[in-house]
Amino acid sequence: MTRTAAQIRTDFLEFFRDKAGHDIVPSAPVVPHDDPTLLFTNAGMNQFKDVFLGTGTRSYVRAVDTQKCIRAGGKHNDLDDVGRDTWHHTFFEMLGNWSFGDYFKAEAITWAWELLTEVWGLPKERLHVTVFAGDDADGLGPDEEAEQLWAELTDIDPSHITRWGRKDNFWEMGATGPCGPCSEIHFDSTPDCSGAPLVNKDHPDVIEIWNLVFMQFDRRSSGELVPLPAKHVDTGMGLERIVRVCQGVRSNYATDLWTPIFDAIAEHTGASAYTDNDDNPVDVAYRVLADHIRCLCIALADGARPGPDGRGYVLRRILRRGVRMARQAMGAEDPLLCTLVPVVVQELGDVFPTLKNDPELLAHLIEDEERAFLRTLDRGLQLFNDAAARGDGAISGEDAFTLHDTWGFPIDLTEQMARERNITVDLQGYEAHMEAARERSRAGGSTAAAATLPPDAIAGLEALGAKPTDDSAKFDDKPVSLARIVGLWDGAQLVDRLMGGAEGIVVLDRTTFYGEQGGQVGDHGKLIVEAQGNTHGGATFQVTDTQRAGDWVLHIGRVVEGDLHRDEHVTTRVDMARRTCIEANHTATHMLNHALRAHLGDGAQQKGSLVADDRLRFDVSTRSAPDATTLAAIETHVCDMIDRNLAVDARECSLDLAQQFTGVRAVFGERYPDPVRVVSIGASIDDLTATPTGDWIGASIEFCGGTHLASTQGITDFVLTQEQGLAAGIRRVVAVTGDAAASLRSTGEALLQRVEAANSAEDADLESHVETIARDHVELELGLVHRRTVDDALDALRGRVKTLRKAAAGESKTAAVDAARELAQAGGDLIVGEVPAGDKDALLAAMDTIKGNCPEAACLLASRDDSSVLIVARVPDAGIKAGLKAGDWVREVAKACGGGGGGRPDMAQAGGKNPDAVPAALDTATTFAREKLG
């Protein structure tokens, strides 16, 4: 009976669990939040990268899993191949088994062959394996060990074992990181089993199904290969490919993994049934849609979101490719991908539970993106047709840029459409237009659409009778108000309408949104046109930034529903959850300013700041870097102000009066309006006004036009995270508040408790305590004060460890020398024995003792601990002449201990891995020497 995909997945996991004691571990998220080098998790090994590098450990040394993987960006990018062939996917499952310093090549090869041929019954004559042929540039020879193991441990046809170069048989995750030689297993599905010449030729009938990677090296940024601390096994088998092989079909898409999604597509579109025909555009669309919806659901469920850059833009490209396919190949007029979410959740939700957390949200996110692109898709397709008709076999760079910039067509989508017509795209011209756009963006500001309104646009608004924006309601903490659209900017000119999907700027007569100013970032939210009573229908504008141009407030973003028209009334809806985080950080910034002045002196002047929703940053002038004690005092100062639940009072005062307030803070060189807004923490504006020159040193008083909390208690916690030099005499301090701060504090306090426990640990346990604390100290996210406190404590503990090591070494040396004296008392021309030496230095000291007492004796000494053996030998000239050489002697003895070594004829050293074999090895040493000495 043919196995289902679910059964094959279970077979793999249970085989390694039951057969070889592997722990079944869950998949890591496909969004690698802790690895900035990756857009997406693209291999099973990503979650174990720290183990391979020796910087992390797990509670197990053998593991097996099915890992969610996306290869749609960066070095590993299969996006362009999806749909065009039958075996590439953006999202796929990687079945893998792992050894972390435990078993190596022999076991990995044996078990792989057993699973494929005995459990799944694959025909042996259809299996081919490849091994690494070596690489001169890296100074690596061929992997003869793997080649020999395949020949000896399996019954594969020897002619099916072939050598290949670095491109095919040396696996690397990226430009840097863990890597090593690999053995790939390929399956020949040609009708007459004649596929040997097609191995590694990217042929649909001979595909790689399993890659056994033998992790041995770390590729440094210089390109150098450095041996890893231990050797590991990392195997990867694409579930989609092995299901194809086990189910006896010649296409990944002809398996039961895809049937439910294909059925759902047919149901929603009325398309003819899937026939697995490469030349049928409907079948290609089936593949693209099914692949892309799985990829989108998995990525969104793990926290990724479509966006304008990075992994967000990769997802947007994937989604828009799917939308275009649904419209052109299947005639779908409405969003289709979002309707396929339930079947993906049904098919994969039990394997990857994050899919079940909020399926409605997944569908909503996808539908929003589909609708936005559908509004511009038909017009873009018409422009593409026009460009193709006039392009003489090519789409010009200018047309490709217009499709991207105006109509949202990613360049790879334009290329795909061009390939379907057998025409090309002028990529060089496209890149020239893109670079020009980037230059315009850089010249105008960090956000192209948000740069500002040019003077002629301001003049145009004034000509229309519009007045600067009234944003006084931003201080009321009321997210909603009614306003009128007085201007719409499409990036090039003022317009009367912004169409759905278009990005631009909206100017209102009044607003509750805060425009970026004084270091505080702009608000996010929505502008909503109610459909009822509106001749144009409803509309929504997603505000992704708010800036200022003079006294005009600019709402920057994109029309996500309907069209916007000038003079329409909108409801402003500020994202108040985000605003509250910003306000907490802004209030904390004032308190930090107060603390810096209190602990660094009056010379500590503000030189800049950033108040965002996730952090705050403060640049301060100071003569020198604050030490750990001062930083701790600054953090405590702010926390004390939080705990005192101080009221925050903010009002306008005359500039002359406000400048008299004792201790008032203002940014040097800043121009302030009259009246000026004063924010006071710990003293009411009424009290300040009544007694401007009173003793207000304990209060934080600043000129500030930003928004704040009503009291300090709402901040809940405050933790410094960074302190560094910015320029001569200027330091930068970064901090977080709220839950983020509480999490850092909890982690830091837990680590400090471990430091305290280490201080009272027994001498024998101290070094292991220090090693684990030092590792976690590097890996854990800690606040700055806790990090520096642990730094100092570790220095003290390391000093104690060093003292203990020195004492232990002295004791070991004494014991070894005493044992050597006893051996020397027996005299003779041959001395063989074991001494209690804790390290090589102690063993060599013992040998020197023998030499001093018996200079003409040939001597071999061994010592051992729980896991290793040390061996040293010395042979005088007479013994060498008789035929005994120290290098040969130790090599023979080391073999008996599971090790190796060698050296000069008169002096040599070796090591072994089997301490229990020492007595027998010493017998071997005596026999070997007697035979040579006669």
Side-chain angles (χ1 to χ4, degrees), residues 345-411:
V345 174
Q346 176 182 328
E347 293 301 307
L348 295 177
D350 289 339
V351 185
F352 305 119
T354 54
L355 286 169
K356 292 184 172 182
N357 289 346
D358 196 346
E360 292 78 13
L361 174 63
L362 305 183
H364 175 72
L365 291 169
I366 293 171
E367 183 180 7
D368 277 356
E369 286 284 326
E370 286 189 276
R371 291 193 181 280
F373 189 46
L374 282 169
R375 294 188 188 100
T376 64
L377 177 60
D378 287 340
R379 179 62 177 146
L381 291 173
Q382 183 59 52
L383 287 176
F384 177 86
N385 291 336
D386 294 343
R390 65 172 177 267
D392 193 23
I395 302 295
S396 72
E398 181 179 3
D399 285 331
F401 173 76
T402 301
L403 284 166
H404 164 82
D405 192 57
T406 304
W407 304 105
F409 280 50
I411 185 61

Side-chain angles (χ1 to χ4, degrees), residues 469-487:
T469 312
D470 175 5
D471 64 344
S472 57
K474 67 189 178 187
F475 297 119
D476 296 339
D477 273 350
K478 295 179 181 178
V480 179
S481 73
L482 193 63
R484 182 174 63 87
I485 298 174
V486 299

Side-chain angles (χ1 to χ4, degrees), residues 440-606:
R440 290 193 297 271
S441 174
R442 286 190 285 266
S446 59
T447 305
T452 188
L453 290 178
D456 59 339
I458 299 295
L461 287 171
E462 292 172 341
L464 293 171
K467 296 181 180 180
T469 312
D470 175 5
D471 64 344
S472 57
K474 67 189 178 187
F475 297 119
D476 296 339
D477 273 350
K478 295 179 181 178
V480 179
S481 73
L482 193 63
R484 182 174 63 87
I485 298 174
V486 299
L488 295 170
W489 177 259
D490 68 357
Q493 60 187 343
L494 289 171
V495 295
D496 290 332
R497 181 180 70 167
L498 272 182
M499 293 190 299
E503 296 180 350
I505 296 173
V506 178
V507 182
L508 306 175
D509 64 344
R510 61 176 60 89
T511 188
T512 53
F513 282 73
Y514 182 91
E516 181 170 329
Q517 190 177 31
Q520 179 174 330
V521 298
D523 279 335
H524 293 180
K526 294 180 179 180
L527 306 178
I528 300 173
V529 178
E530 301 294 342
Q532 187 173 2
N534 191 313
T535 57
H536 300 296
T540 302
F541 184 83
Q542 186 76 45
V543 180
T544 56
D545 194 11
T546 310
Q547 297 284 327
R548 298 184 69 89
D551 291 327
W552 303 86
V553 176
L554 314 179
H555 305 81
I556 299 132
R558 182 167 62 88
V559 184
V560 296
E561 182 180 351
D563 298 338
L564 282 185
H565 297 79
R566 187 168 62 83
D567 285 332
E568 281 183 328
H569 285 84
V570 300
T571 301
T572 66
R573 292 187 182 274
V574 176
D575 182 343
M576 290 306 294
R578 180 175 181 273
R579 165 78 79 84
T580 299
C581 293
I582 294 170
E583 290 178 344
N585 284 338
H586 203 158
T587 302
T589 301
H590 284 216
M591 295 153 63
L592 174 61
N593 192 1
H594 188 266
L596 289 167
R597 187 176 188 183
H599 296 280
L600 300 181
D602 288 339
Q605 297 289 332
Q606 180 176 346

Side-chain angles (χ1 to χ4, degrees), residues 879-929:
I880 296 172
K881 291 176 182 178
L884 179 62
K885 297 179 180 179
D888 297 339
W889 199 8
V890 297
R891 188 178 300 111
E892 192 70 17
V893 177
K895 286 181 183 177
C897 298
R904 303 192 313 268
D906 62 324
M907 191 74 177
Q909 300 174 30
K913 300 177 181 178
N914 185 359
D916 294 333
V918 166
L922 292 177
D923 291 339
T924 299
T926 301
T927 301
F928 182 90

